[in-house]
Amino acid sequence: MNEVSKTHFYIKHAIGSRMLFDVSGRQKAFSLEENDGKWKFTVEDVEPDTAALLDSNSWNLNLFYFFERPGLPIQKYWFYDKDKPELQYNAATRRWTIQLDSRMEYNNEKV
């Protein structure tokens, strides 16, 4: 049996951890880029109401990115911004981006 690597991407509210957007659960294509100590997520086919919800909560966003590889511990990352993240939404292409300045790797064994 050929096992496949999996990624998961969630956006939650910083206070109370309410799920705002389960990107991978809604099967949205996304990418992650690192440049000069900042991280940029791009998500495709984001509904306007979801983009508006994220924008209205921009000061309180926590992003979680998990990477699973067969036979290895899950790599978990928490992304946030020390101030306010840079958000962009293009309604014509339905492409949403967020750029953040902080990333922390963690695991459940050291919580």
Side-chain angles (χ1 to χ4, degrees):
M1 184 172 181
N2 199 1
E3 295 186 53
V4 178
S5 297
K6 297 178 187 175
T7 58
H8 305 278
F9 177 33
Y10 312 102
I11 303 173
K12 294 186 174 188
H13 195 278
I15 302 167
S17 293
R18 178 172 57 103
M19 180 73 74
L20 298 175
F21 189 20
D22 181 352
V23 177
S24 51
R26 289 170 63 183
Q27 299 180 340
K28 302 295 184 180
F30 68 92
S31 62
L32 171 59
E33 302 171 34
E34 189 270 332
N35 189 14
D36 292 329
K38 294 191 177 194
W39 292 269
K40 180 179 178 182
F41 285 90
T42 302
V43 184
E44 305 296 336
D45 194 30
V46 176
E47 295 82 3
D49 59 331
T50 299
L53 175 67
L54 297 171
D55 188 60
S56 68
N57 287 283
S58 61
W59 288 94
N60 295 301
L61 298 177
N62 282 327
L63 286 69
F64 298 93
Y65 178 80
F66 302 162
F67 185 67
E68 293 183 63
R69 290 179 294 190
L72 296 173
I74 299 173
Q75 290 179 280
K76 297 181 179 184
Y77 299 94
W78 167 37
F79 294 85
Y80 59 96
D81 203 273
K82 292 175 187 159
D83 190 31
K84 183 179 179 187
E86 297 176 35
L87 301 175
Q88 293 182 345
Y89 181 64
N90 182 318
T93 63
R94 294 170 53 121
R95 177 177 288 157
W96 181 83
T97 62
I98 183 169
Q99 183 169 291
L100 307 117
D101 63 12
S102 301
R103 178 186 79 168
M104 182 172 293
E105 185 170 4
Y106 71 99
N107 63 49
N108 289 348
E109 295 172 11
K110 296 180 182 178
V111 174

